[in-house]
Amino acid sequence: GKQLEYSLTETSPDFGSALSIELEPNSNAVTIFYSTPPDASGVQVLSPEQTFGDYPYLFTQCQAIHARSIVPCQDTPGVKAPYTAEITVAKPLTAVMSAVSVRTEESATTSTYFFEQKTPIPSYLIALVIGDIV
């Protein structure tokens, strides 16, 4: 697709930045590429010692207003949206989400999981877990 004009407001330590995108007439979808900082308030990591395993365990906790720290969203229960996600992890780790796993692609050292949540949900219900789980 075509890159659209956008702007970000100054970052607030509690609420992040507002993203504004100038849509073209008849636009019905937007793809946003973004990254999440390691200190995002909605992400927590347990050390291997805390899991009695060999690997750390990552999980998200988006309730009440922490989804905005990991995904660009209107972080309020009144706004619901479907979503898709592509998560790449090092083997032997596994990723699961609050969405349907639609496929997995394997390489020698990584696994990429593709998820789709077709039912519009509030952002606080977005969940991700990565760990040495089966």
Side-chain angles (χ1 to χ4, degrees):
K2 178 181 176 186
Q3 183 166 335
L4 301 173
E5 294 293 321
Y6 70 93
S7 64
L8 288 170
T9 62
E10 190 172 325
T11 302
S12 160
D14 294 322
F15 302 112
S17 301
L19 169 64
S20 296
I21 302 171
E22 289 189 36
L23 298 177
E24 294 191 344
N26 302 317
S27 295
N28 61 6
V30 174
T31 300
I32 301 171
F33 295 94
Y34 63 93
S35 60
T36 300
D39 62 346
S41 63
V43 178
Q44 300 195 21
V45 179
L46 300 177
S47 68
E49 298 77 31
Q50 292 174 298
T51 67
F52 298 105
D54 296 326
Y55 301 95
Y57 182 83
L58 177 143
F59 64 97
T60 59
Q61 174 55 47
C62 292
Q63 197 172 14
I65 60 166
H66 297 287
R68 67 188 72 188
S69 76
I70 61 172
V71 296
C73 65
Q74 291 182 316
D75 198 5
T76 177
V79 176
K80 298 176 181 165
Y83 72 89
T84 60
E86 177 182 326
I87 309 292
T88 301
V89 299
K91 286 184 175 178
L93 302 179
T94 301
V96 294
M97 291 195 78
S98 57
V100 175
S101 177
V102 292
R103 77 178 192 279
T104 305
E105 294 178 3
E106 305 278 341
S107 77
T109 58
T110 64
S111 299
T112 301
Y113 297 89
F114 296 84
F115 299 96
E116 182 175 33
Q117 175 56 269
K118 290 182 180 180
T119 303
I121 63 171
S123 56
Y124 71 86
L125 292 179
I126 296 171
L128 169 66
V129 170
I130 299 173
D132 188 14
I133 54 178
V134 179

